[in-house]
Amino acid sequence: MDTIDIRKEWEQAAKRIKQDAKVCIVLGKTDSGKSTLCKYLIHTWAASGTRVGYVDSDLGQSTLGPPTTVSLKIFNTPPHQNNSANPLYLHFVGNTAPEGFLLQTLHAIKTMVDKSQQQGSHITLVDTTGFIDGPVARILKLHKIEMLRPQRILALQAEDEMEHLLRGYEKMGWQVMRLVCSKHVVTRSQAERQRYRSEKYKAYFKSAKIVDCPIHKVAFPSCIIGTGQRIQPAELPKEACIHGMNHLYMEKCGTELLIMPDHMDVSIPVYKLKGYFGASSVVLIERQQLKDLLVGLNDENNTTLGLGTVTDLDPFAGKITLFTPVSNISKIATIRLGALKIERGEREYGRTQIIQYL
């Protein structure tokens, strides 16, 4: 704690929150010092015998778990540098920012806060992303607050950059405490933030191995892979003759039609197929694009066992090949598809929308 610039109002806030708060949310823009403030609060409360649950929901610059996750750690004593990571639980969201994953983000945060309270935390401290500008950020932050119903909202501001949010919260009856950012806040470049994520990925995937997982034993919540009736080439109408049909996998489940070509260089008569099979929607997935995709591996209770990257998905052989540190593959019940490509479990090299709905 000697390296932290502790302001007087931080000390006062810590005392007030400890008196009456069960849930406290920390808001602030990127590089405002939210993690530093959380570190101070955890240290202060734990040192006084308070059991603190720390929910790290900064998807891109996470302190506890790997990027793209919301994680939880319980502190009964002040954290040391060698035990501040290694979360008790984590929940996969799928992206390093909430955009495009708002429901997943809210669900993950609520799940971790609930687990914190189930673990007997006296105070649950929720660190958030620096996503504060624009209508999407406004909606996300408001629903997060209404969902968690915190007794205190801690707002870190350099000037008045969050007043467009905070004044509205106060009108709705929420208790907002405004704090000034530390003088020693360091602004990190995009390259530095990317390097930080790469280090986190590298540490997480250090013990990862290549494993095969049977498709028929798992569910893919974002699509119908393995849940429908496979369509054989002979079942296709003659007018839907497709070059390279032997490498085109199709399934139908209800009114959904799944089409999985190896590459998108195949001309697929989507609308003819929809009409012929009576499908209201087509789910199109290019198998090649799945390679290196970051995925979440959850058990039957929807608890994230860990992360993995896709080496290959072969629906004809009925298996998905993963690179993951998760050792007990038999516990995997669902595989959640993310939006990031991770090379060799280290470097992000792109974002992608794997599923196209037609």
Side-chain angles (χ1 to χ4, degrees), residues 91 102-112 147 302:
H91 199 96
L102 299 185
L103 288 176
Q104 293 92 326
T105 300
L106 289 173
H107 175 68
I109 294 171
K110 183 64 165 63
T111 298
M112 293 297 98
M147 178 180 66
N302 200 30

Side-chain angles (χ1 to χ4, degrees), residues 112-124:
M112 293 297 98
V113 170
D114 287 348
K115 285 188 178 295
S116 174
Q117 294 178 331
Q118 290 163 8
Q119 292 290 324
S121 297
H122 302 131
I123 300 176
T124 298

Side-chain angles (χ1 to χ4, degrees), residues 78 82 106 114 131 153 232 238 242 274 316 327-328 333-334 339:
N82 60 353
L106 289 173
D114 287 348
F131 184 44
I153 299 172
Q232 301 292 342
K238 293 181 180 180
I242 304 170
K274 284 177 69 173
F316 299 103
S327 57
N328 195 343
T334 62

Side-chain angles (χ1 to χ4, degrees), residues 128-152:
T128 61
T129 68
F131 184 44
I132 63 169
D133 293 318
V136 177
R138 180 185 300 276
I139 291 170
L140 177 65
K141 288 290 193 286
L142 178 58
H143 282 288
K144 187 182 301 181
I145 289 168
E146 290 182 334
M147 178 180 66
L148 300 180
R149 306 195 66 80
Q151 286 72 43
R152 299 285 179 177

Side-chain angles (χ1 to χ4, degrees), residues 157-214:
Q157 296 191 106
E159 295 179 357
D160 61 353
E161 62 270 16
M162 285 196 299
E163 290 303 315
H164 64 291
L165 299 174
L166 303 181
R167 289 171 185 169
Y169 298 158
E170 289 177 320
K171 288 182 179 180
M172 289 182 276
W174 301 108
Q175 296 294 315
V176 177
M177 300 178 70
R178 294 168 174 81
L179 301 179
V180 179
C181 297
S182 169
K183 297 177 181 178
H184 301 302
V185 167
V186 177
T187 300
R188 290 177 291 178
S189 66
Q190 282 298 108
E192 289 172 323
R193 297 171 74 83
Q194 178 66 62
R195 280 196 296 271
Y196 176 80
R197 289 199 296 272
S198 293
E199 290 171 1
K200 295 284 284 187
Y201 289 129
K202 185 176 180 180
Y204 181 79
F205 284 100
K206 183 178 180 180
S207 61
K209 297 179 181 178
I210 300 290
V211 296
D212 288 333
C213 181

